[in-house]
Amino acid sequence: MITRRLAVVVAGAMIILSACSNNAPGGSAAAGSGVAATDCKVGVSWNNYSQERWKKADEPAMQKAIAAGGGSYIRADANDKAEQQLTDIDSLINQGAKVLIVLAKDDKGILPAIAKAKTAGIPVIADDRLIEDESTFYITFDNKKVGTLMAESLIKVAPKGNYAVILGADTDPNSAFLRSGMTDAGIPKLNETNPAGIKVVFEKNTDNWDTTNAKNNMEAALNANANKIDAVLSENDSMATGVVQALSAVGLKIPVSGQDGDTAALNRVALGTQTVSVWKNAFALGETAGSVAVQLCAKTAMTAVKAPSDLPAAAAPASLTATPFTTPGGKTVQSIILTPTAITKDNVKDTIDAGWATKDAVCAGVPAGSTPACG
């Protein structure tokens, strides 16, 4: 779990509490009034709360940071429906949210809700997924680097041959960022072969990043290529679950990528049925989102926002101060970009040591001596 320096947290909480509270005569905060929690209400709109990491890491770390800043937390779950998310954001605004954290289902479909928040003077944090609007603050991991780490990990074990690329949802800009990172690592375009001998023989987006849809895509890739696939770049772990199911059904055990550090994926890494899961330490992301929310509640300018100083070194951004980010649409947003880590058999123990997953879960069914973390 993410540790905190107590003195830093207490000092930061006092500063933000003072900024967010109504002041009593003489400038001191009205003690025990509960005003800070009301004035610093943070509304969180989840696109689909059922994903493992949101409830395990992002949300609790977010809540802790918000509470430390004297704020309160409310949330809504769109259940993977873009129109529902618009309704949810209306509801959060009506409930008195002073800042919104939005994990967008659809980066374009969400824009009417962002416009309403902007009209109401409510700052919006685009959490983990980009929103093409210059009024938003963008917090994420370096998704281009995630794609690069995936590709580099697979290239090490499959330096040539037929590759399938199972992309995420085409409504999520992260899918394109990841593919761009893969390209930087040397993965060619569809039906092209790079100088090393890697050929992409299948590439397709996957609706909703869904496991079953990914399995269907992988089955299509196998059918189209007479099962002659040597490696699969799957853009996340839930899709990798479907990919591995499809491969297992035809007796193939080949390199597969993923991201998010899902427990099932980490077990597959330890077992050797998934080569890499790029771990985005969501405790760090949640803490950062919560911290930024209370800073914006305190009317801190977006350009002056800072990441928490106590983030784990492996996840910390290159700069603690907000930096400009140019979107694919040519807009400039302020951002904090955290650092991802490629998890393979060699370092899967890092996720156990961090409290992200238990040794029992990671090592379930792993033969003794086959993975350092499992003994």
Side-chain angles (χ1 to χ4, degrees), residues 141 280-281 284-285 311-318 337-341:
F141 279 83
K280 301 186 299 186
N281 187 335
L285 189 69
L311 296 176
I337 310 294
L338 304 185
T339 305
T341 303

Side-chain angles (χ1 to χ4, degrees), residues 11-326:
M14 291 299 292
I15 291 169
I16 297 170
L17 177 61
S18 175
C20 290
S21 302
N22 287 344
N23 289 337
S28 60
S33 66
V35 172
T38 299
D39 281 357
C40 293
K41 185 178 287 185
V42 179
V44 182
S45 173
W46 300 97
N47 76 310
N48 185 1
Y49 189 71
S50 67
Q51 290 192 24
E52 176 185 332
R53 59 170 276 206
W54 309 140
K55 63 190 70 175
K56 178 172 77 173
D58 295 70
E59 183 178 62
M62 198 182 288
Q63 289 174 310
K64 187 174 181 181
I66 291 167
S72 60
Y73 172 96
I74 54 175
R75 70 168 168 92
D77 175 16
N79 291 304
D80 231 7
K81 296 179 175 62
E83 290 189 2
Q84 180 60 47
Q85 191 161 40
L86 299 180
T87 301
D88 288 347
I89 290 174
D90 277 345
S91 176
L92 292 169
I93 292 172
N94 291 336
Q95 291 177 65
K98 300 299 182 184
V99 180
L100 292 171
I101 299 173
V102 178
L103 191 126
K105 161 67 178 173
D106 185 324
D107 66 319
K108 296 179 178 62
I110 200 69
L111 292 178
I114 304 307
K116 286 185 180 180
K118 185 176 181 179
T119 298
I122 300 171
V124 175
I125 298 166
D127 184 49
D128 201 43
R129 295 179 179 176
L130 178 68
I131 297 172
E132 283 272 2
D133 189 290
E134 290 181 339
S135 68
T136 63
F137 192 100
Y138 183 38
I139 299 175
T140 191
F141 279 83
D142 186 339
N143 287 298
K144 190 172 182 180
K145 186 173 182 178
V146 172
T148 298
L149 291 172
M150 287 179 181
E152 289 175 344
S153 298
L154 263 60
I155 290 169
K156 285 181 182 179
V157 294
K160 61 182 180 179
N162 290 343
Y163 271 56
V165 182
I166 308 299
L167 302 169
D170 61 4
T171 57
D172 184 348
N174 281 356
S175 179
F177 289 144
L178 293 164
R179 185 55 171 99
S180 177
M182 294 173 188
T183 302
D184 285 352
I187 301 300
K189 295 178 181 179
L190 178 62
N191 296 324
E192 293 184 1
T193 304
N194 72 6
I198 291 175
K199 181 178 182 179
V200 174
V201 297
F202 181 91
E203 181 167 336
K204 190 173 181 180
N205 286 98
T206 305
D207 289 347
N208 299 325
W209 302 79
D210 179 73
T211 300
T212 300
N213 292 339
K215 181 182 178 183
N216 292 340
N217 278 345
M218 192 66 238
E219 288 172 347
L222 291 166
N223 290 334
N225 292 279
N227 293 349
K228 293 179 180 179
I229 305 289
D230 299 295
V232 183
L233 282 162
S234 165
E235 287 196 332
N236 81 354
D237 287 338
S238 62
M239 296 195 310
T241 298
V243 166
V244 171
Q245 288 170 355
L247 293 172
S248 298
V250 296
L252 284 181
K253 184 179 178 181
I254 59 176
V256 175
S257 73
Q259 68 157 319
D260 288 335
D262 287 355
T263 301
L266 295 175
N267 179 236
R268 288 194 297 268
V269 168
L271 287 166
T273 57
Q274 182 170 325
T275 305
V276 60
S277 175
V278 179
W279 180 36
K280 301 186 299 186
N281 187 335
F283 292 120
L285 189 69
E287 180 184 3
T288 301
S291 173
V292 171
V294 291
Q295 289 175 70
L296 294 177
C297 180
K299 306 302 181 184
T300 302
M302 286 189 176
T303 54
V305 164
K306 294 183 181 296
S309 60
D310 62 345
L311 296 176
S319 170
L320 290 180
T321 303
T323 57
F325 178 88
T326 302

